[in-house]
Amino acid sequence: MQDEQLVEKLKSKSRFKRLNALKTLAKNEEYAEDYGMDANINVVCRTTFSCFDTTPALAAYRLAKNGMPIIGVVDYASLSAAKEIYKAEKILKKPYYTGAETECIGSDGVVRKMLSVGVPHKNAKPFDLELYFYRKFRNEFASSLIDGLNSRFKKYDIHLAAPKNSFYKATSTEDIFIRLAESIRNKFEDGKAVIDFVSDELKIELSDEEYKRLIDLSNVFYIADLAKVLFTKYKMKFPVRKYKKVSEFVASSDYYGGISAVMLSDNLLDTIKFAIDNHIKGIFFYLDKLENYNFAPEEIYDACVGSGLLPIGLIVADYPKKNLEFKFDSEETSQKYKDVALSIVGNEIASSINLGDGMFSDRTIENTPIFTERIRLFSRIGSKGSVK
């Protein structure tokens, strides 16, 4: 069977078929690590459990094919991909970690993105069940957003079908705009008509590059390109959304052995204070969006580690043509962030064997009080691979 057919099987609805296809691909192909000494290795995927079109097995395969030494999967308020990722890791023989991202409201009334990563295996399922309430709020928001878009686009005879409800899935905003892009594409017979509609009716100003992508209906990424334009440039008031509290998420993450992290704001010191005050274990930021911050990765690392917080720099593979490469200014800084990424893997391994041996457990802190040494210790654990 050709590799292309096997890759298609990674999209199967059957987890058994997906993993069997991955086993065959792993026998036929090599997955050499391909990255520079100054490169980022922390790339994470969203899966079908965030209503993306990538199954967990396909996500693992793509990261391995791209030469990534770590397989990271972080879904919206869901750990449902974890079981498949555990099996995929054993097939591909790559270190991995799983996690969940959600949005919570702090006691100050500010909504913040939160992560819990490196969750122990035996606790992924119970934590996932608890995350249902976070998914419920996200899905209620998604339903209201779809209703709002249908109301706006009714005059154009364009309708979005609501996704099928699922206990384990969170409907992503990205998925809703993919659906909108598909509806618009199906409405018009050529690229020029789509562009005219987007420009004249939706009042979206296209860049030259966006125009080139949308004029050509044969573009295999046409829907993704159109969805990105709509998502980033279409102006509308989003519906009101309900949120769980930051304190509740952090308490759950701690209870189940994950590493909680809050997204970096435009004020590093304020984010550090918020993290410490709320007993959060780390701060995460997107390496491909450094223009949103006033700090270099080196500064973020030093400030976080000096405060006992794990600095997590990552890139999310959430767009087909997204550039997943990022180079740090020095190999030294790159190594520090590699150690952090591998330490998350190490936390998942160590706490899966014994919950009391996680990176932030009282026993571990007592035995290894110097934080930089603890990061390196768990990095070494992570580099050795999975739970046996």
Side-chain angles (χ1 to χ4, degrees):
M1 185 179 292
Q2 296 295 317
D3 284 357
E4 291 82 1
Q5 293 174 291
L6 289 169
V7 173
E8 281 301 309
K9 285 186 177 291
L10 295 179
K11 303 175 185 178
S12 169
K13 292 182 179 180
S14 165
R15 184 172 66 195
F16 177 77
K17 290 182 179 178
R18 295 196 297 266
L19 290 171
N20 269 349
L22 189 63
K23 286 178 184 177
T24 306
L25 283 165
K27 290 178 183 177
N28 296 345
E29 300 180 348
E30 293 184 0
Y31 304 104
E33 294 178 6
D34 182 20
Y35 60 92
M37 294 300 293
D38 57 350
N40 168 59
I41 63 169
N42 196 7
V43 176
V44 302
C45 284
R46 314 276 193 217
T47 76
T48 47
F49 293 102
S50 295
C51 281
F52 282 72
D53 64 353
T54 306
T55 66
L58 181 57
Y61 173 77
R62 283 176 174 169
L63 289 177
K65 283 290 285 184
N66 275 299
M68 290 292 109
I70 295 177
I71 295 168
V73 171
V74 177
D75 276 313
Y76 290 132
S78 179
L79 288 163
S80 298
K83 187 174 182 179
E84 187 168 336
I85 288 297
Y86 300 158
K87 294 181 182 296
E89 183 273 340
K90 291 184 183 296
I91 293 169
L92 296 170
K93 298 179 174 57
K94 294 276 187 181
Y96 69 94
Y97 69 84
T98 55
E101 178 185 314
T102 189
E103 291 176 318
C104 302
I105 191 164
S107 57
D108 55 2
V110 177
V111 175
R112 292 176 171 85
K113 284 189 177 182
M114 300 291 298
L115 281 183
S116 180
V117 290
V119 179
H121 292 189
K122 65 181 179 181
N123 286 345
K125 186 173 182 179
F127 193 6
D128 191 41
L129 293 174
E130 192 165 316
L131 287 169
Y132 163 73
F133 298 100
Y134 297 82
R135 294 192 290 272
K136 182 174 182 289
F137 284 167
R138 175 176 275 276
N139 290 340
E140 287 173 352
F141 165 78
S143 179
S144 297
L145 178 57
I146 289 172
D147 288 344
L149 287 168
N150 279 334
S151 176
R152 281 174 165 244
F153 283 82
K154 183 178 180 180
K155 61 183 177 181
Y156 307 118
D157 195 27
I158 292 173
H159 179 80
L160 282 75
K164 185 179 179 181
N165 287 331
S166 171
F167 181 88
Y168 297 102
K169 293 181 180 180
T171 301
S172 64
T173 309
E174 294 95 327
D175 178 63
I176 292 172
F177 279 87
I178 284 285
R179 290 168 181 268
L180 178 59
E182 289 173 341
S183 298
I184 293 173
R185 165 64 185 87
N186 294 335
K187 174 72 175 176
F188 300 99
E189 60 186 30
D190 58 49
K192 182 63 167 60
V194 172
I195 287 174
D196 288 345
F197 174 76
V198 168
S199 301
D200 298 340
E201 298 295 335
L202 304 186
K203 310 300 181 187
I204 293 176
E205 186 175 342
L206 299 174
S207 68
D208 291 343
E209 182 61 30
E210 289 165 342
Y211 185 95
K212 289 177 184 177
R213 291 177 179 178
L214 298 187
I215 196 69
D216 181 13
L217 292 185
S218 65
N219 168 13
V220 294
F221 299 115
Y222 193 90
I223 296 300
D225 286 335
L226 178 55
K228 186 177 182 182
V229 167
L230 295 168
F231 182 58
T232 57
K233 293 190 172 183
Y234 180 56
K235 292 180 173 59
M236 68 172 290
K237 185 177 180 181
F238 277 30
V240 175
R241 181 174 166 185
K242 293 184 285 186
Y243 299 95
K244 298 278 282 183
K245 295 178 181 177
V246 167
S247 58
E248 293 175 310
F249 183 79
V250 173
S252 295
S253 179
D254 287 350
Y255 180 78
Y256 292 112
I259 298 171
S260 59
V262 62
M263 191 172 83
L264 178 62
S265 72
D266 57 1
N267 190 310
L268 178 56
L269 295 181
D270 282 355
T271 308
I272 288 174
K273 183 179 185 306
F274 180 84
I276 293 172
D277 290 347
N278 287 273
H279 310 289
I280 298 167
K281 305 299 185 290
I283 292 175
F284 76 96
F285 62 99
Y286 301 121
L287 289 165
D288 56 320
K289 297 180 180 178
L290 280 176
E291 67 275 8
N292 295 341
Y293 312 109
N294 298 317
F295 322 97
E298 296 88 342
E299 296 174 271
I300 297 169
Y301 182 93
D302 290 342
C304 287
V305 171
S307 302
L309 299 168
L310 197 66
I312 306 171
L314 53 83
I315 293 176
V316 180
D318 54 0
Y319 177 63
K321 291 192 289 187
K322 188 171 187 177
N323 181 10
L324 303 181
E325 294 184 4
F326 177 85
K327 293 186 181 298
F328 292 94
D329 289 340
S330 70
E331 291 182 10
E332 180 184 2
T333 301
S334 175
Q335 186 60 52
K336 289 177 179 178
Y337 278 96
K338 287 173 185 174
D339 285 344
V340 168
L342 284 167
S343 74
I344 297 170
V345 179
N347 181 81
E348 188 160 321
I349 293 171
S351 58
S352 291
I353 297 170
N354 188 321
L355 193 59
D357 288 334
M359 193 191 309
F360 292 91
S361 72
D362 292 340
R363 182 165 60 202
T364 300
I365 292 173
E366 182 180 351
N367 291 335
T368 314
I370 299 175
F371 193 35
T372 51
E373 292 181 2
R374 206 180 331 143
I375 293 172
R376 285 194 291 270
L377 169 64
F378 278 81
S379 173
R380 290 194 294 273
I381 296 171
S383 65
K384 292 178 181 178
S386 68
V387 179
K388 304 302 181 186

